[in-house]
């Protein structure tokens, strides 16, 4: 389970994060929902979890949101299990091994806010590596070993016959622009990263080429909203409300990404590049989220936004030889119908007419 060192790290990160929050909120909100994310600082990768504050969706549900960057997935899991955050982001690469050891606590995933597949491997322009199988003997960079790109990329390489322990070297190079610089300077041969991370590197003008994705990529690695099971049962309307706000925000961004970027910057102006104009700041957000927003909607015919498919967990467990016979403890789809009970066309019209 969570060891003492992880708990102390999580407690420290949570205490530091309490001072953070959006610059504006709605006075009519009756309570604050603390949302923990596994980032070192809040950024636009979680835009659809946050802009409901600026668009009035949270106020309609009777709450305001405080986003808390807790530094890593383990910290978020601890904070959620302890009840220190109301909603946390859950990731299968961290959670499923706990479930396999029969040590899963009382948290439950209730909404999938990003669907697979969002990772890639980039190389410098002109690299001799053109495919994932060309990476044998290469040094692959990741942001850090607690990032989702590390376990997911290991799984994909393994599925292609590349031993992730013997055939490649792994190096933690930091997040965002520093990761791109490490690739540019040749400190690493390739960079495994996720969509919004590559967007930040693109925005910094660092050239890179994405290797062609293998065919039949496994549908693994979605990201989920979670809360304590007993709280979801006792405060059902609150969790439906947060999921609905997220779904509305996702629809809003899909309809008008620039408007979504403006709403995010209204809440978190400090995330804009220093000295940038509004136009430049909006562009920086759009560069970061352009790949991610395509993953808000489920890639399954007829599936409702936010709905969870157990097949993704089964696939990831098999790839890692995790013996899990029952996944029901970890997720529920019971809130999805209510979460999606809103006028989608009204949200799209709001997005089209939004001026900031």
């Amino acid at each position: 389970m969570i060891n003492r060192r992880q708990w102390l790290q999580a407690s420290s990160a949570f205490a530091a994060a309490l001072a953070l929050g959006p610059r504006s909120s709605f006075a009519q909100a009756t309570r604050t929902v603390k949302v923990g994310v596994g980032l070192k600082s809040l950024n636009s990768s979680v835009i659809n979890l946050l802009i409901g504050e600026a668009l009035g969706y949270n106020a309609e549900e009777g709450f305001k949101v405080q986003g808390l960057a807790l530094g890593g997935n383990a910290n978020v899991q601890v904070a959620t299990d302890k009840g220190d955050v109301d909603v946390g982001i859950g990731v299968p690469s961290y959670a499923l091994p706990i479930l396999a050891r029969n040590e899963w606590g009382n948290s439950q995933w209730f909404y999938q806010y990003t669907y697979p597949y969002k990772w890639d491997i980039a190389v410098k322009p002109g690299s001799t590596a053109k495919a994932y199988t060309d990476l044998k003997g290469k040094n692959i960079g990741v942001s850090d070993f607690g990032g989702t790109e590390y376990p997911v990329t290991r799984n994909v390489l393994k599925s292609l016959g590349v031993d992730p322990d013997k055939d490649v070297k792994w190096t933690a190079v930091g997040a965002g622009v520093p990761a791109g610089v490490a690739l540019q300077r040749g400190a690493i041969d390739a960079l495994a990263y996720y969509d919004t991370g590559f967007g930040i590197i693109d925005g910094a003008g660092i050239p890179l080429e994405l290797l062609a994705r293998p065919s039949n990529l496994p549908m693994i690695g979605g990201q989920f909203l979670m809360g304590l099971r007993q709280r979801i049962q006792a405060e059902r309307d609150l969790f439906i409300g947060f999921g609905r706000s997220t779904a509305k925000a996702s629809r809003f961004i899909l309809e008008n990404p620039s408007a979504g970027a403006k709403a995010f910057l209204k809440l978190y102006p400090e995330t804009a590049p220093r000295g940038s104009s509004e136009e430049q700041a909006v562009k920086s957000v759009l560069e970061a989220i352009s790949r991610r927003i395509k993953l808000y909607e489920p890639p399954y015919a007829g599936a409702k936004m936010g709905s969870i498919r157990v097949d993704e967990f089964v696939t990831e467990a098999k790839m890692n030889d995790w013996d899990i016979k029952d996944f029901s403890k970890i997720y529920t789809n019971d809130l999805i119908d209510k979460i999606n009970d809103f006028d989608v066309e009204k949200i799209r019209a709001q997005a089209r007419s939004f001026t900031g």
Side-chain angles (χ1 to χ4, degrees):
M1 194 63 176
I2 305 299
N3 60 38
R4 177 175 173 79
R5 181 171 177 270
Q6 289 173 318
W7 166 239
L8 289 173
Q9 289 175 334
S11 299
S12 176
F14 181 75
L18 281 175
L20 302 178
R23 295 292 179 87
S24 63
S25 60
F26 285 81
Q28 62 266 45
T30 58
R31 63 169 298 173
T32 297
V33 174
K34 297 185 179 72
V35 180
V37 301
L39 301 170
K40 291 181 172 60
S41 61
L42 293 178
N43 62 47
S44 57
S45 66
V46 289
I47 185 174
N48 57 332
L49 308 187
L50 301 175
I51 66 168
E53 194 70 23
L55 300 174
Y57 305 153
N58 296 346
E60 290 172 0
E61 304 292 344
F63 61 81
K64 61 181 180 180
V65 161
Q66 183 180 17
L68 304 172
L70 302 184
N73 297 320
N75 294 346
V76 176
Q77 188 70 55
V78 170
T80 306
D81 286 340
K82 299 291 289 186
D84 289 336
V85 296
D86 303 295
V87 176
I89 291 178
V91 294
S93 59
Y94 181 80
L96 293 181
I98 299 175
L99 185 63
R101 297 194 301 267
N102 293 315
E103 295 175 353
W104 185 252
N106 292 314
S107 294
Q108 190 175 49
W109 299 343
F110 64 92
Y111 183 98
Q112 187 162 357
Y113 84 93
T114 302
Y115 287 90
Y117 182 88
K118 58 180 172 291
W119 298 272
D120 280 288
I121 300 178
V123 294
K124 290 175 64 174
S127 170
T128 57
K130 302 299 180 184
Y132 283 34
T133 50
D134 295 334
L135 295 173
K136 286 187 177 182
K138 303 295 187 181
N139 182 4
I140 304 175
V142 294
S143 63
D144 65 61
F145 295 121
T148 53
E149 70 270 21
Y150 178 58
V152 171
T153 305
R154 285 174 57 88
N155 280 337
V156 173
L157 290 176
K158 185 178 179 181
S159 73
L160 297 172
V162 179
D163 189 320
D165 293 311
K166 297 178 181 178
D167 292 338
V168 299
K169 177 183 177 182
W170 300 91
T171 301
V173 294
V177 174
V181 170
L183 180 64
Q184 186 179 42
R185 293 181 176 175
I188 52 176
D189 301 307
L191 174 65
Y193 212 11
Y194 51 84
D195 49 2
T196 54
F198 280 125
I200 292 170
I201 295 170
D202 287 339
I206 298 174
L208 48 78
E209 291 180 355
L210 299 183
L211 296 181
R213 287 180 172 182
S215 59
N216 301 318
L217 270 172
M219 292 298 285
I220 60 173
Q223 292 182 308
F224 303 81
L225 303 182
M226 64 179 172
L228 286 174
R229 182 180 294 104
Q230 57 268 40
R231 286 200 57 201
I232 292 174
Q233 294 171 352
E235 301 176 73
R236 182 181 175 87
D237 287 346
L238 176 68
F239 289 92
I240 289 172
F242 186 79
R244 186 182 292 137
S245 176
T246 299
K248 286 180 177 179
S250 299
R251 294 289 185 192
F252 183 99
I253 297 165
L254 284 165
E255 185 66 25
N256 189 343
S258 293
K262 289 179 181 178
F264 178 76
L265 291 165
K266 179 180 178 181
L267 291 169
Y268 299 97
E270 68 276 10
T271 63
R274 186 174 299 175
S276 61
S277 65
E278 179 184 13
E279 182 180 357
Q280 290 168 331
V282 168
K283 182 181 178 182
S284 72
V285 173
L286 293 177
E287 287 171 336
I289 68 172
S290 61
R291 295 181 177 93
R292 173 64 58 89
I293 62 178
K294 301 172 185 176
L295 305 178
Y296 290 165
E297 293 185 285
Y300 313 111
K304 291 187 176 182
M305 185 171 277
S307 59
I308 301 169
R309 281 178 67 111
V310 70
D311 294 359
E312 295 178 12
F313 311 149
V314 173
T315 299
E316 190 158 352
K318 285 181 178 178
M319 292 180 74
N320 290 278
D321 297 321
W322 296 325
D323 184 14
I324 304 174
K325 296 185 172 56
D326 182 10
F327 295 89
S328 62
K329 289 182 180 180
I330 211 167
Y331 80 102
T332 180
N333 278 312
D334 289 348
L335 309 187
I336 295 300
D337 285 345
K338 287 288 188 180
I339 285 173
N340 284 277
D341 185 15
F342 62 91
D343 187 339
V344 175
E345 287 308 316
K346 180 180 177 181
I347 301 301
R348 288 172 174 159
Q350 178 193 10
R352 290 192 296 269
S353 62
F354 186 82
T355 61

